[in-house]
């Protein structure tokens, strides 16, 4: 039986709370919204990622020599709009789940990844494909069409954020590698680097389920859905290490644990992959992991969520995280 840490990362202490300056920044956004006569829920906001990035230099977490760096910022796909303000870039960068680096803290990950090299990086595409191949990440990204999308992101732990991801549709990659018709699922395997990721070594590996590497999976129908994104960037720039550099899966209608970070292998397989959290605690983390306010987690309700960094305001959770229009058909029984 895997060992699960007793204290969960989202139970942050006051000392670890987001710096006041960042919190104030969030308050300013709300005040401006109120002044504009909009309360609580905001309409879609025009978004200029270049201007935003210039104004908000990041604390840390940048990749050294990020792949395809000249491709940012990418063109915006305006089809996916938000009903709430974007999360401050620095807030998102300083509140993370990345169990390879810490099983207890969310607010320290950005520091813990500092010495972790993400270059060179290759991604193996294998399993049921006619031509298995290992791509250098720069070459792979250059073969794909990058775009920016604003997505809500809902963690199973009930915190949420709204972020501009840059990436390519997984569907485009699938069209490139032409998996065999016998493939029913896609398996995503993430990095192993015990030298830099403390939870992957020694005694710590026992306290973090001891089942590295982190693996996730999707059905082929989910993988080829238009919404499924392979993120390579965030806030108009190459993705930060704490968000899963250099390649991370984004499936916004599912709980965040499906979004495997720092992927090294993508395989087409003919059975449901054994995934990290589902293997660790199947009764709490199901394979499907679709956001659903009516299905409580075994230890807490999923009816509401809070947007980081403000825990005091809870809002209703939406079925499929509000993306039912695009994905509900995937789950209709024949
Ligand atoms: N990927 C890996 N490799 N390791 C992890 O611990 N945590 C998952 C997911 N992907 C995780 C991972 C969980 S639980 C969440 S909520 C999201 O990453 C958090 O992404 P963020 O830190 O960019 O917000």
């Amino acid at each position: 039986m895997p060992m699960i840490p007793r204290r969960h990362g989202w139970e942050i202490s006051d000392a670890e709370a987001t710096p006041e300056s960042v919190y104030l920044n969030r308050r300013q956004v709300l005040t401006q919204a109120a002044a504009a006569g909009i309360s609580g829920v905001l309409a879609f906001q025009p978004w200029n990622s270049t201007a935003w990035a210039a104004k908000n230099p990041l604390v840390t977490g940048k990749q050294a020599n990020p792949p395809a760096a000249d491709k940012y910022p990418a063109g915006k796909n305006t089809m996916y709009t938000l009903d709430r303000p974007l999360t401050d870039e620095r807030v998102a960068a300083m509140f993370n789940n990345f169990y390879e680096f810490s099983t207890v803290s969310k607010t320290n990950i950005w520091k813990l990844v500092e010495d972790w090299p993400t270059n060179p990086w290759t991604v193996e595409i294998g399993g049921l494909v006619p031509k298995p191949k290992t791509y250098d990440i720069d070459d792979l990204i250059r073969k794909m069409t990058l775009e920016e999308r604003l997505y809500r992101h809902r963690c199973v732990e009930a915190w949420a954020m709204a972020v501009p991801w840059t990436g390519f549709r997984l569907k485009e990659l699938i069209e490139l590698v032409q998996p065999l018709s016998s493939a029913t699922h896609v398996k995503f395997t993430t990095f192993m680097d015990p030298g830099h990721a403390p939870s992957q070594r020694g005694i710590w590996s026992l306290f973090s389920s001891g089942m590295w590497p982190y693996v996730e999976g999707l059905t082929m129908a989910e993988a080829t859905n238009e919404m499924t994104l392979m993120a390579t960037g965030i806030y108009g720039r190459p993705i930060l290490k704490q968000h899963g550099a250099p390649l991370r899966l984004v499936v916004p209608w599912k709980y965040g644990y499906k979004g495997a970070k720092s992927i090294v292998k993508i395989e087409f397989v003919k059975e449901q992959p054994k995934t990290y959290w589902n293997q660790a605690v199947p009764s709490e983390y199901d394979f499907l992991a679709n956001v659903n306010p009516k299905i409580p987690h075994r230890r807490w309700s999923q009816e509401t969520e809070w947007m980081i960094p403000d825990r005091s305001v809870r809002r209703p959770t939406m079925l499929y995280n509000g993306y039912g229009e695009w994905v509900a058909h995937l789950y209709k029984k024949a």
Side-chain angles (χ1 to χ4, degrees):
M1 180 66 187
M3 295 181 75
I4 304 300
R6 226 159 242 291
R7 179 173 170 248
H8 292 276
W10 64 95
E11 295 160 0
I12 54 170
S13 68
D14 286 351
E16 288 174 309
T18 311
E20 197 183 23
S21 59
V22 172
Y23 178 73
L24 288 175
N25 192 293
R26 159 83 184 179
R27 301 261 322 244
Q28 274 163 13
V29 172
L30 290 179
T31 312
Q32 279 159 15
I38 310 160
S39 65
V41 178
L42 294 186
F44 171 64
Q45 310 203 313
W47 165 245
N48 181 338
S49 52
T50 316
W52 178 268
K55 269 202 306 209
N56 295 278
L58 272 188
V59 256
T60 183
K62 284 186 188 156
Q63 305 175 62
N65 304 316
D70 53 301
K71 299 276 180 199
Y72 300 87
K76 298 170 205 319
N77 181 336
T78 52
M79 206 147 83
Y80 306 100
T81 57
L82 292 176
D83 58 350
R84 58 195 73 185
L86 277 169
T87 302
D88 185 309
E89 180 178 17
R90 293 162 302 173
V91 170
M94 294 166 77
F95 189 95
N96 306 98
N97 266 341
F98 210 163
Y99 269 59
E100 287 87 334
F101 292 93
S102 176
T103 59
V104 290
S105 171
K106 292 186 189 317
T107 50
N108 262 345
I109 303 290
W110 61 278
K111 292 182 205 150
L112 298 170
V113 295
E114 201 167 343
D115 297 329
W116 172 47
T118 54
N119 187 311
W121 193 279
T122 57
V123 181
E124 186 185 331
I125 312 267
L128 300 167
V129 282
K131 290 187 191 149
K133 186 171 167 175
T134 298
Y135 293 85
D136 175 75
I137 186 68
D138 188 86
D139 295 341
L140 180 65
I141 296 176
R142 287 182 192 286
K143 282 191 194 309
M144 298 290 126
T145 316
L146 291 190
E147 60 181 52
E148 184 175 82
R149 291 184 182 190
L150 310 181
Y151 276 171
R152 286 181 293 273
H153 169 63
R154 169 60 155 84
C155 179
V156 70
E157 299 157 354
W159 57 267
M161 57 184 191
V163 262
W165 296 108
T166 301
F168 57 86
R169 293 170 315 137
L170 177 56
K171 189 179 180 180
E172 191 184 357
L173 178 62
I174 292 176
E175 283 163 2
L176 176 78
V177 301
Q178 296 277 314
L180 308 181
S181 57
S182 50
T184 59
H185 289 80
V186 188
K187 176 180 173 187
F188 303 87
T189 303
T190 74
F191 78 106
M192 270 305 277
D193 188 349
H196 292 96
S199 311
Q200 291 184 335
R201 64 177 179 255
I203 187 82
W204 289 112
S205 69
L206 297 175
F207 286 96
S208 53
S209 304
M211 299 192 320
W212 304 109
Y214 193 102
V215 167
E216 257 309 332
L218 296 174
T219 64
M220 283 300 284
E222 291 170 335
T224 50
N225 185 274
E226 282 296 323
M227 293 214 80
T228 306
L229 206 64
M230 299 305 299
T232 61
I234 192 166
Y235 292 94
R237 298 192 272 214
I239 193 166
L240 299 178
K241 292 197 262 185
Q242 57 268 45
H243 288 302
L247 186 67
R248 177 238 175 97
L249 175 64
V250 176
V251 266
W253 71 96
K254 292 179 178 285
Y255 290 120
Y257 65 88
K258 295 300 285 184
K261 293 178 170 183
S262 307
I263 293 167
V264 295
K265 199 195 286 184
I266 301 175
E267 286 166 285
F268 296 87
V269 294
K270 58 175 189 303
E271 69 243 341
Q272 182 176 302
K274 293 190 190 339
T275 55
Y276 182 88
W277 282 111
N278 184 243
Q279 287 280 99
V281 202
S283 57
E284 297 188 1
Y285 306 103
D286 70 328
F287 177 82
L288 219 48
N290 290 332
V291 175
N292 189 337
K294 297 279 173 257
I295 303 182
H297 184 275
R298 206 156 59 94
R299 288 177 283 130
W300 60 85
S301 159
Q302 293 291 22
E303 278 177 21
T304 59
E305 65 192 25
W306 59 278
M307 296 292 288
I308 59 168
D310 190 351
R311 303 170 159 263
S312 63
V313 184
R314 297 198 74 107
R315 48 192 307 150
T317 301
M318 292 183 283
L319 180 63
Y320 300 117
N321 205 17
Y323 295 114
E325 184 187 335
W326 284 276
V327 299
H329 67 275
L330 297 174
Y331 308 103
K332 290 260 177 316
K333 296 239 158 51

